[in-house]
Amino acid sequence: MTRHDDYRQPRDPGDVFLPETPSQTAGPYVHIGLALDVAGLPERDHEIDNRLAEPEAEGEFIELAGVVLDGADQPVADILVEAWQADAHGAYVTDFAFDNVFNSFGRAAPGADDAGRWVFSTIKPGRVPYPGAIDMAPHINLALFARGINIHLQTRIYFDDEADDNADCPFLNKVPPHRRDTLIARRAGESDAGHPRYEIVIRLQGPEETVFFDY
Amino acid sequence: MADNRHIDFVQRDRNWHPDPAAVGYRTTVLRHPKQALVSLQTPSASERTGPDFGAMALGAHDNDLLMNHRPGTAADGLPIGERIHVYGRVIDQFGAPVPNTLVEMWQANAGGRYRHKKDSYVAPLDPNFGGVGRTVTDPAGWYRFRTIRPGPYPWPNDPNAWRPAHIHVSVFGPSVATRLITQLYFEGDPLIPRCPIVNTIRDADAVETLTARLDMARSRAFDSLVYRFDIVTRGALQTWFENV
């Protein structure tokens, strides 16, 4: 419970208040820094990658596969996608470590032969509390970085087999009804490892443009 | 432990950040949303939390680009170029240090060539230079890299477009809401005002904050020059009250 005197006063006149560092595009060679194998660089001992869950993790193993399309319906092959999601109990694992059986954070980027397709290997997240309302439906936060994207785009992925939770989700219900479908991944087939696969197409522009959030 | 469940972050000023649809940077034209962003009035744990990298295992030379790309042959040596350090502090908008946050960077070599499959610029690769670094800020928010000053390079935007010398910088802050990727430029570079990517930022003062300053006081005689680049993440506010 937050107490009144915990509040950091925003701010007496004269207190330092600095502008946030401005964003710039991650550019075409983002992989050198954040997805070394795609750039063709030798990997370090440990890399943050697209595998959030080890076999010992609790929960239902899934694969989330997607493609990001530009305004001409062409795949954005140089995209870098970051995922942030709760564990199977709806809690965020905030202490990132390479030996965790589950990390809430991961990164994916298509390889040269993947036609813009990226994949996360993870578990299905649990419901997460929402202030003053019922829990949110299971979802994964995504951030998109690429050449031509000056400030990263923030979106969310929901699951089509959670229709009841989705209908009640206090967050999803803030999205205009005709646009909600753009956030819902479709369960389709299995991964190589035999886990359910969810597919999502993210459209940067156009009649079915994906919803992006400011928060 | 990044428990931010009771933290709100100062709203992002999207007029200070670059214009997502700046036509001068041509790739933006097909890659920016045309619909308005949907604003969340009530952030949840989903936005308030983020990864804490204080326990992440790093290699001994992860932040030393003079040493971290060794081909492992008799030809092993040092990269060619201007030896520099880049250091600075990650603080939030209220000046509070941001500890244990992951700072990552990548860059071209001294000739403006990237070690990336898709870079075919005629300038050669440097066998002793990879171009990637990472580190975690200390308890007071400080970070440091040692590297080679990157060269400018041409790119297919205008018929004769050149990027200023720059280092790509990625920082997290305490939450996914503070996540940021940007570019560091070098004080005095005449290519800065000519760059269509820099010019996606409308406010000249904002460009100034992306310009690293030569720090002669900390430069090392007969070794390396030092540049300072501070990073400001969104201000953290504990919430006045919660409805939970």
Side-chain angles (χ1 to χ4, degrees):
Chain A
M1 197 64 184
T2 305
R3 287 180 302 125
H4 176 273
D5 55 2
D6 285 337
Y7 186 68
R8 294 176 56 197
Q9 292 295 329
R11 305 299 164 178
D12 299 326
D15 252 14
V16 59
F17 184 76
L18 302 162
E20 188 187 8
T21 296
S23 176
Q24 290 272 264
T25 178
Y29 306 128
V30 58
H31 316 96
I32 293 172
L34 308 185
L36 281 65
D37 58 328
V38 175
L41 278 166
E43 294 195 294
R44 295 162 290 197
D45 286 348
H46 301 286
E47 296 293 343
I48 300 170
D49 63 15
N50 65 342
R51 184 185 174 96
L52 283 72
E54 296 301 321
E56 303 80 34
E58 280 186 71
E60 182 190 10
F61 278 76
I62 62 166
E63 182 175 277
L64 175 65
V67 63
V68 178
L69 301 180
D70 70 11
D73 278 341
Q74 295 302 301
V76 178
D78 50 11
I79 197 85
L80 180 96
V81 185
E82 290 186 347
W84 178 247
Q85 67 161 91
D87 67 13
H89 305 291
Y92 289 91
V93 177
T94 53
D95 287 321
F96 183 93
F98 292 117
D99 53 4
N100 284 347
V101 296
F102 174 75
N103 276 307
S104 282
F105 180 70
R107 284 181 176 145
D113 304 322
D114 296 337
R117 183 181 166 88
W118 43 267
V119 169
F120 285 102
S121 172
T122 185
I123 50 134
K124 201 165 181 183
R127 293 190 294 270
V128 172
Y130 189 78
I134 65 165
D135 290 353
M136 294 181 284
H139 64 274
I140 299 178
N141 280 7
L142 297 183
L144 311 180
F145 300 88
R147 177 174 65 104
I149 297 177
N150 288 332
I151 180 164
H152 59 285
L153 297 169
Q154 303 171 140
T155 189
R156 268 193 184 190
I157 304 303
Y158 286 82
F159 302 93
D160 70 343
D161 54 354
E162 303 286 348
D164 291 346
D165 275 0
N166 291 345
D168 293 337
C169 178
F171 183 100
L172 199 51
N173 281 322
K174 291 187 181 298
V175 174
H178 67 282
R179 301 191 65 199
R180 286 177 199 158
D181 277 353
T182 67
L183 302 177
I184 297 177
R186 190 170 46 87
R187 187 162 169 147
E190 292 186 343
S191 69
D192 293 344
H195 302 307
R197 175 190 289 135
Y198 292 85
E199 301 266 2
I200 185 77
V201 177
I202 294 174
R203 291 182 169 83
L204 301 182
Q205 293 180 357
E208 295 175 81
E209 183 178 306
T210 296
V211 176
F212 299 103
F213 296 99
D214 188 13
Y215 57 75
Chain B
M1 172 69 194
D3 179 356
N4 304 316
R5 283 171 296 166
H6 299 290
I7 302 282
D8 278 339
F9 295 95
V10 173
Q11 184 187 338
R12 198 159 243 161
D13 180 352
R14 290 181 180 269
N15 292 314
W16 173 259
H17 282 287
D19 178 2
V23 293
Y25 175 19
R26 295 177 186 179
T27 312
T28 65
V29 172
L30 289 175
R31 292 188 172 191
H32 74 273
K34 295 192 172 177
Q35 301 289 319
L37 301 178
V38 173
S39 294
L40 302 193
Q41 307 303 326
T42 313
S44 68
S46 192
E47 296 82 35
R48 284 174 171 160
T49 57
D52 182 316
F53 295 97
M56 185 164 130
L58 295 174
H61 296 298
D62 276 6
N63 70 337
D64 185 357
L65 284 73
L66 299 191
M67 296 296 289
N68 71 12
H69 188 85
R70 314 284 283 181
T73 69
D76 264 10
L78 291 168
I80 291 174
E82 294 181 40
R83 296 160 61 89
I84 62 169
H85 293 242
V86 173
Y87 87 106
R89 205 172 180 206
V90 184
I91 54 177
D92 82 0
Q93 288 178 281
F94 300 120
V98 181
N100 291 338
T101 203
L102 182 63
V103 181
E104 296 164 283
M105 55 85 93
W106 66 99
Q107 63 166 91
N109 68 20
R113 174 73 183 274
Y114 281 99
R115 189 172 284 279
H116 190 290
K117 288 174 186 170
K118 290 188 180 170
D119 189 0
S120 57
Y121 179 37
V122 65
L125 287 170
D126 183 329
N128 298 305
F129 192 73
V132 56
R134 64 183 174 186
T135 191
V136 171
T137 55
D138 76 7
W142 295 100
Y143 75 92
R144 173 183 287 270
F145 292 100
R146 187 165 75 150
T147 187
I148 291 294
R149 178 171 163 146
Y153 60 85
W155 60 300
N157 191 66
D158 324 332
N160 188 20
W162 289 76
R163 296 300 325 281
H166 63 277
I167 297 176
H168 296 267
V169 179
S170 162
V171 65
F172 278 78
S175 158
V176 291
T178 56
R179 179 83 180 95
L180 183 74
I181 288 184
T182 189
Q183 299 182 31
L184 170 164
Y185 303 103
F186 291 90
E187 180 179 5
D189 186 339
L191 290 171
I192 293 172
R194 293 175 166 88
C195 176
I197 289 178
V198 173
N199 290 334
T200 62
I201 297 173
R202 289 150 290 203
D203 190 322
D205 290 342
V207 175
E208 281 296 299
T209 69
L210 295 183
T211 307
R213 305 285 157 191
L214 180 64
D215 185 348
M216 278 311 291
R218 288 175 179 76
S219 293
R220 299 181 176 190
F222 297 98
D223 187 325
S224 46
L225 288 170
V226 173
Y227 285 87
R228 176 154 184 176
F229 183 66
D230 290 339
I231 299 165
V232 180
T233 63
R234 292 167 68 183
L237 287 165
Q238 290 198 331
T239 47
W240 183 256
F241 59 82
E242 292 265 330
N243 294 322
V244 292

